[in-house]
Amino acid sequence: MSRPERDAGWRHVAPLAVAVVVIALWQALTVAYEVPVYLVPSPQVVAETLVADAGLLFASLGVTVSIALMALGVAVVLGVAIALLFVQSRWIEAAFTPYVVLLQVTPIVAIAPLIILWVKDTRTALVLCAVVVAIFPIVSDTTLGLRSVDPRLADLFRMNRATRWQVLTRLRIPSALPYFFGGLRIASGLALIGAVVAEFVAGTGGQGAGLAYQILMSGIQLNIPRLFAALVLITLAGVAFYLGAVLASKLALGRWHESELQSR
Amino acid sequence: MLGPSGCGKSTLLHLIAGLEAPSSGSIAWWGSSFDATGTPGRGLAMVFQSPTLMPWARVDTNVRLPLSLAGVPVAESDRAVRDALALVGLSDSARLWPRELSGGMQMRASIARALVNHPDLLLMDEPFGALDEFTRQRLDDELIALWRERGLTIVFVTHSIHEAVYLSTRVAVMGPRPGRLVDEVAIDEPHPRGEAFRVSTGFAGYAQRLSARVAEASGGAMHDAGPRARRA
């Protein structure tokens, strides 16, 4: 095996090794010190709970993930639309940027009850909350990208009498893509966090109960193994969201952008 | 156009290209003048200091840009793109990405893009300044060959005296603060000039004369600054 290949192999093996060591230590310590499950359940107990409560937990995971995905979709469409509007004129950007920032700095926990109160359909309300959290990086990164055009390329387009539409589609949007995908990586995680936080506030149970509700109830009922199992699922979902965004970025930019090139 | 940094060479080029408007006066282009509102015709192309290729498009798509912006369908522009790439020796690189080309090849692609819609006037803003000496000399020779073949007019901005002597039929020496034309020197030497000209006494004579004019122009500017400096 050549050196770079071996390095690439280690890059995947090393984090797994850390996980194995940590989980083994956790297992050993909980057993050795006989830690009660209502304080810290051992990995084995968590795994058993995950299997035993699979039906309940995965149904909830589906609810949370679908809300987060929908929110991410809306945030992307709406965020890109806002960014496109912003770059049409400095006045529009100057007038509305403070309010986008305002939306960003207001804690979602504080406005979620209002949104849930105003919007009749709970699911829609939850999606809306997650959108509020996830949209900012999309708007700010895409706006920055749409403005980050090579000035000499812009001159070239001007010399060739390019229309406003040609400048947008052939110059501004391609220039913005790397920035957009940077924003998407952050927004993908935020959409999930937004969905979980909104569920916590809404506290919806029954059929449409998401993972946040399971965590909340498990805490109240002192069913700590189930709480841990739900946490594991949320974490894994978050990682999957991030990897999804990374994959999308690789597919779109892989052939030309420096950030996605394999180090040779 | 030869001169030290800050003498307005690039600005003059931008004025000719219609990218900047003159604060006063007008620019005559083959006898017909145009003002700030009228842009020059299509027969105008520019090569910048850097290759300025779109990184997200392959080489042939980059070269096609002037034609596709003008609305020429791909099927009709294919031939022009192939010809332009052949002209600069990049026929085999048409489907590569800009990042896969060396600096010299990127500059060639940039020149191919400028030539693709057969301009009458080619503006070049220190195009080879960032390249190494050997690549630069080779591209100088290729540029002269292109110029003779296509019969176009080239306005070439440089701060290299040797490049100015080697390439030009006429050198306009510019001076800084304020940017102005200092002298015009005709280089009476038949093309192709080749390596022998680079080391000839005639070449040295022209270089010496241009060097003296540039030094004079810069020195003059420093002299101008004298009284102001004393007042301060």
Side-chain angles (χ1 to χ4, degrees):
Chain A
M1 225 193 306
S2 70
R3 202 195 150 92
E5 268 175 70
R6 208 166 45 218
D7 284 353
W10 267 107
R11 230 191 300 265
H12 293 103
V13 172
L16 282 179
V18 172
V20 168
V21 169
V22 168
I23 290 173
L25 258 177
W26 175 5
Q27 178 75 27
L29 288 174
T30 43
V31 170
Y33 290 96
E34 294 174 0
V35 183
V37 291
Y38 57 82
L39 282 183
V40 182
S42 72
Q44 192 195 340
V45 173
V46 173
E48 281 164 10
T49 314
L50 204 53
V51 173
D53 295 348
L56 180 78
L57 287 176
F58 278 92
S60 298
L61 176 69
V63 170
T64 303
V65 165
S66 75
I67 286 172
L69 273 181
M70 233 184 297
L72 189 60
V74 173
V76 165
V77 172
L78 208 64
V80 169
I82 292 173
L84 286 172
L85 198 69
F86 274 7
V87 296
Q88 295 311 306
S89 104
R90 290 270 177 196
W91 284 104
I92 299 178
E93 188 181 4
F96 288 99
T97 299
Y99 300 101
V100 177
V101 175
L102 206 69
L103 210 61
Q104 162 73 3
V105 296
T106 311
I108 188 63
V109 193
I111 45 174
L114 280 178
I115 295 179
I116 289 159
L117 192 72
W118 290 335
V119 181
K120 209 165 174 187
D121 179 44
T122 314
R123 209 177 144 78
T124 312
L126 295 182
V127 170
L128 217 62
C129 290
V131 169
V132 168
V133 179
I135 200 167
F136 184 76
I138 302 268
V139 173
S140 70
D141 284 13
T142 309
T143 306
L144 182 68
L146 288 168
R147 290 213 186 285
S148 301
V149 168
D150 180 346
R152 281 175 309 270
L153 264 180
D155 280 348
L156 190 74
F157 272 65
R158 213 143 61 87
M159 274 185 70
N160 284 287
R161 299 169 173 180
T163 61
R164 219 181 154 87
W165 177 251
Q166 282 175 327
V167 170
L168 181 68
T169 55
R170 301 204 191 178
L171 184 60
R172 280 186 186 272
I173 290 178
S175 302
L177 279 182
Y179 295 82
F180 164 77
F181 281 108
L184 184 68
R185 284 185 195 197
I186 299 169
S188 66
L190 287 180
L192 194 66
I193 292 174
V196 170
V197 169
E199 272 178 30
F200 254 103
V201 177
T204 13
Q207 277 289 305
L211 271 182
Y213 177 75
Q214 301 303 346
I215 291 176
L216 206 61
M217 288 319 285
S218 306
I220 292 170
Q221 298 163 355
L222 232 59
N223 190 346
I224 305 305
R226 185 189 279 175
L227 193 154
F228 266 77
L231 265 179
V232 167
L233 284 184
I234 285 189
T235 312
L236 290 180
V239 172
F241 267 55
Y242 180 79
L243 290 179
V246 169
L247 187 71
S249 161
K250 245 190 179 57
L251 286 176
L253 309 178
R255 288 170 309 168
W256 63 270
H257 199 257
E258 295 87 351
S259 64
E260 297 293 354
L261 296 180
Q262 297 291 327
S263 45
R264 273 170 293 184
Chain B
M1 291 193 286
L2 174 71
S5 318
C7 70
K9 301 181 305 264
S10 295
T11 307
L12 186 54
L13 221 52
H14 282 207
L15 287 171
I16 300 172
L19 292 171
E20 274 172 62
S23 43
S24 67
S26 68
I27 294 160
W29 198 63
W30 270 300
S32 56
S33 72
F34 59 86
D35 54 28
T37 51
T39 40
R42 279 225 187 284
L44 191 81
M46 186 144 162
V47 175
F48 299 87
Q49 285 175 22
S50 58
T52 318
L53 301 170
M54 301 178 290
W56 56 83
R58 291 177 197 269
V59 171
D60 56 352
T61 311
N62 266 291
V63 171
R64 197 190 307 274
L65 183 73
L67 294 172
S68 56
L69 285 179
V72 180
V74 172
E76 284 173 40
S77 58
D78 263 344
R79 209 194 139 77
V81 171
R82 251 201 324 273
D83 288 351
L85 282 170
L87 212 56
V88 297
L90 280 183
S91 295
D92 297 334
S93 310
R95 296 306 290 160
L96 294 181
W97 299 94
R99 63 170 173 82
E100 295 173 311
L101 305 182
S102 67
M105 286 164 88
Q106 287 183 2
M107 214 14 120
R108 283 201 183 93
S110 185
I111 293 171
R113 178 180 59 194
L115 294 176
V116 76
N117 56 359
H118 294 265
D120 302 309
L121 179 61
L122 180 59
L123 308 171
M124 304 185 88
D125 191 0
E126 295 180 27
F128 309 143
L131 302 175
D132 64 85
E133 188 63 26
F134 308 105
T135 312
R136 181 185 196 153
Q137 288 188 3
R138 208 169 58 239
L139 283 174
D140 280 347
D141 283 331
E142 286 176 20
L143 185 65
I144 288 181
L146 273 178
W147 166 70
R148 282 158 60 87
E149 195 180 319
R150 284 274 175 115
L152 41 65
T153 302
I154 300 178
V155 179
F156 193 99
V157 163
T158 182
H159 51 221
S160 157
I161 289 167
H162 291 94
E163 199 174 32
V165 175
Y166 189 70
L167 288 177
S168 312
T169 48
R170 231 163 80 204
V171 181
V173 181
M174 293 182 70
R177 287 173 295 268
R180 67 200 187 281
L181 191 67
V182 176
D183 195 8
E184 246 190 82
V185 179
I187 312 286
D188 290 317
E189 184 74 26
H191 283 282
R193 289 172 173 169
E195 209 40 54
F197 178 55
R198 276 192 218 274
V199 292
S200 70
T201 46
F203 187 95
Y206 284 121
Q208 216 160 36
R209 178 167 168 204
L210 289 178
S211 181
R213 299 302 282 147
V214 171
E216 237 174 75
S218 307
M222 266 146 66
H223 186 73
D224 283 349
R228 238 172 295 149
R230 268 201 297 279
R231 237 176 288 139

